[in-house]
Amino acid sequence: MRSAPTILHLDMDAFYASAEQAAKPSLRGKAVVVGGLGPRGVVATASYEARRFGVHSAMPMGQARRLAPNAAYLVPRFGLYREVSEQVMGLLRELSPLVEPLSLDEAFVDLEAGGVADDEASARLVGERLRTDIRAVTGLNGSVGLAVSKMLAKIASEEAKPDGLRLIAPGTERALLGPMPVRTLPGVGPATGDHLRRAGITTVEELAEAGEDELVRLLGKSHGGSLYAMALARDERPVVAERESKSVSVEDTYDVDIHDRVRVRTEVGRLAERCVQRLRAAGHSGRTIVLKVRRFDFSTLTRSETLRGPTDDPGVVREAAARLLESVDTTGGVRLLGVGVTGLADYTQEDLFAQAQAAEAALAVAAAESAAQVVPGDDGGVGGVAEAAPEGGEPVVRAEEGAQESVAPAERRWAAGHDVRHAEYGHGWVQGSGLGRVTVRFETPGSPPGRVRTFRTDDADLAPAEPLPLVGVGLRSEGVARAGLKGPSTTDGARAAEAAEARSGPG
């Protein structure tokens, strides 16, 4: 292991909830819960204000509502979170070529590889400057851990939360780890923790005292050996620059089980389209199509089909997913569906068989259209379409859809927390909707808390909108300019003060 604490771990504080509070002045300092709002929804993130009531990530949303009935419950806005994440990751890449993202809000950085730190003092300065830059660029807070290894850096960032920095000095690691519970170490989940507890091992110090032979006997050679090394504060894992994705997938969990086979097919087709959109956005194609079905009894089935070559054709993926669905019994109901593509490549080999099928289908449609006859109505207009007649019979007239009765459009749906714009009142966000009404609070990240107004869900002046930047463009550019500095700068403090002063304006 290295001798200086130049492994940095960044973890954004309550990321989704903090982004929502930054975007919505009326929610700052209040309990905010982000996640699925349906009966089967779970909490993705809870603000620190909500955590005081016992709400935490992965908790069923129903339980969260009972614990914090007055919190703001919002549907995630992943587009905004990805945009902010890209800004943060950009700052990290200015520090080092070795950045290992773990999620949208978490990453390791090898500062030594970037030449920006080689001892405790320089590492601390870089960590503090990073926190300042993140706040200037995104308006959000992140906690930083610094240590000689990835394991210790992550432990340090957890201890630094919220909005802090913790550096574990070389030589103090064993004393720090000793009294901590075994669940602190990576790889020790509930099952392993219970197994160790039954053996009388509850702390990291007891884990080290047990010895490698005993841990191997209890947990197996690989797991026991690695845990013993971690208990001695040994972690040789390097920071690895982000790897290419091995798969692309999307899935939906439904509030109510789907029993209608036609709707199941429709949902699979829709998921296939979304999956291909992600695939193309990543610049990939793939050979293997995967279908995931979780049934009413929580049993989960996966089916896969490997094509002759990589594809990013939505029709090919959709048809493959539909074929896979035919082998799955959904009679009892479906609670989750997913479509994925694996075996990724950065090129596309056109599926000639699928193209031939598409061409045949197009010819069939053209033939059917040419066989159809247009029948004049009584007023000289088009009254209907005459389908191809049975052999020896007269054409059968089929009324055009909507000719006899108009179908009412489906009610517009407004997700809680999502952005809208009103022709008169400007930008706002949905506080809630139901019974044909939608309630909107009109405010922006830089404004004071705004007023609330209620509209009909079909109000023509109300439309969905894109999220606004959390920080003004000028401040964001200034933050990026500071991030371009490779080492600690004596002007950082002054610039941070200027940014803080600018941010202390309205809102």
Side-chain angles (χ1 to χ4, degrees):
M1 289 199 309
R2 62 189 68 197
S3 59
T6 53
I7 299 291
L8 180 147
H9 181 259
L10 170 72
D11 197 350
M12 299 297 290
D13 298 333
F15 182 46
Y16 298 170
S18 294
E20 296 298 344
Q21 289 176 319
K24 302 171 172 64
S26 59
L27 297 184
R28 292 169 191 169
K30 298 181 180 179
V32 174
V33 180
V34 180
L37 303 189
R40 293 172 177 167
V42 296
V43 175
T45 308
S47 69
Y48 286 99
E49 296 85 356
R51 295 180 190 187
R52 297 193 188 109
F53 296 95
V55 180
H56 59 76
S57 299
M59 172 182 285
M61 191 61 75
Q63 183 181 355
R65 288 185 183 276
R66 289 191 293 273
L67 292 172
N70 296 321
Y73 289 86
L74 308 177
V75 176
R77 296 187 295 163
F78 289 111
L80 171 66
Y81 310 150
R82 290 191 191 97
E83 179 182 341
V84 176
S85 175
E86 288 171 3
Q87 293 172 341
V88 173
M89 297 301 166
L91 293 174
L92 298 183
R93 293 186 187 98
E94 292 291 339
L95 298 176
S96 173
L98 293 183
V99 176
E100 183 178 343
L102 304 179
S103 61
L104 288 177
D105 62 338
E106 187 179 1
F108 288 110
V109 185
D110 188 335
L111 301 180
E112 189 175 303
V116 295
D118 56 9
D119 58 16
E120 290 184 38
S122 58
R124 184 181 294 276
L125 282 174
V126 169
E128 292 289 5
R129 181 166 61 86
L130 174 64
R131 293 177 57 240
T132 299
D133 287 342
I134 289 173
R135 194 176 299 114
V137 172
T138 69
L140 305 181
N141 296 325
S143 294
V144 169
L146 292 157
V148 298
S149 69
K150 291 168 68 173
M151 176 189 72
L152 292 165
K154 184 171 175 61
I155 291 172
S157 69
E158 284 296 321
E159 293 206 329
K161 284 183 169 292
D163 189 24
L165 181 147
R166 174 70 192 274
L167 183 148
I168 299 177
T172 66
E173 298 91 350
R174 290 286 302 276
L176 173 74
L177 288 176
M180 290 184 173
V182 292
R183 289 286 302 275
T184 303
L185 299 180
V188 181
T192 302
D194 287 343
H195 194 50
L196 291 171
R197 180 180 52 78
R198 288 194 294 270
I201 300 173
T202 59
T203 67
V204 176
E205 184 176 10
E206 292 170 345
L207 200 64
E209 291 173 350
E212 185 172 9
D213 291 342
E214 176 63 9
L215 295 180
V216 168
R217 186 186 69 81
L218 289 171
L219 305 173
K221 184 174 182 180
S222 176
H223 197 25
S226 64
L227 277 186
Y228 180 68
M230 289 183 181
L232 298 179
R234 298 175 188 161
D235 179 17
E236 300 288 351
R237 294 174 301 159
V239 175
V240 180
E242 53 187 307
R243 303 179 181 92
E244 293 289 339
S245 298
K246 295 182 179 179
S247 65
V248 174
S249 63
V250 295
E251 61 182 42
D252 279 344
T253 300
Y254 304 99
D255 294 339
V256 179
D257 290 348
I258 302 176
H259 293 83
D260 183 4
R261 184 75 176 185
V262 174
R263 188 186 166 196
V264 172
R265 291 194 196 98
T266 302
E267 290 294 316
V268 167
R270 184 178 60 83
L271 290 167
E273 297 279 355
R274 285 172 50 196
C275 182
V276 170
Q277 288 176 4
R278 288 192 182 182
L279 191 69
R280 288 180 168 179
H284 292 308
S285 60
R287 291 190 62 202
T288 302
I289 315 303
V290 181
L291 175 71
K292 177 180 178 181
V293 179
R294 181 166 297 150
R295 299 189 291 192
F296 70 99
D297 58 357
F298 286 88
S299 61
T300 302
L301 304 177
T302 57
R303 300 287 186 270
S304 63
E305 175 181 320
T306 299
L307 308 174
R308 290 178 297 175
T311 184
D312 63 354
D313 186 318
V316 173
V317 176
R318 188 172 55 247
E319 290 168 11
R323 287 193 297 271
L324 294 170
L325 179 62
E326 294 305 313
S327 65
V328 179
D329 180 11
T330 61
T331 306
V334 170
R335 60 184 292 118
L336 177 147
L337 290 169
V339 174
V341 177
T342 65
L344 301 186
D346 56 3
Y347 67 95
T348 301
Q349 179 176 314
E350 297 297 337
D351 190 326
L352 300 180
F353 179 69
Q355 289 182 349
Q357 280 189 321
E360 289 176 6
L363 289 173
V365 170
E369 289 177 348
S370 65
Q373 301 176 22
V374 178
V375 180
D378 291 338
D379 59 355
V382 177
V385 176
E387 296 180 347
E391 187 170 332
E394 294 293 327
V396 179
V397 177
R398 172 176 54 82
E400 290 184 342
E401 292 182 9
Q404 300 300 324
E405 58 181 2
S406 60
V407 179
E411 181 177 312
R412 297 166 76 187
R413 300 184 65 181
W414 303 96
H418 281 217
D419 297 84
V420 295
R421 176 167 289 280
H422 191 274
E424 179 179 354
Y425 302 110
H427 194 94
W429 58 277
V430 177
Q431 278 202 328
S433 64
L435 301 177
R437 296 288 187 271
V438 55
T439 301
V440 178
R441 185 180 289 274
F442 291 96
E443 60 186 6
T444 63
S447 75
R451 294 187 60 183
V452 174
R453 299 181 184 275
T454 300
F455 309 91
R456 293 175 57 91
T457 54
D458 59 355
D459 192 316
D461 289 336
L462 191 65
E466 292 297 317
L468 297 177
L470 301 184
V471 175
V473 175
L475 291 177
R476 199 162 64 246
S477 299
E478 179 185 341
V480 171
R482 284 203 311 279
L485 299 173
K486 285 292 183 180
S489 167
T490 56
T491 62
D492 283 344
R495 286 176 174 157
E498 292 171 5
E501 182 179 354
R503 287 199 309 279
S504 64

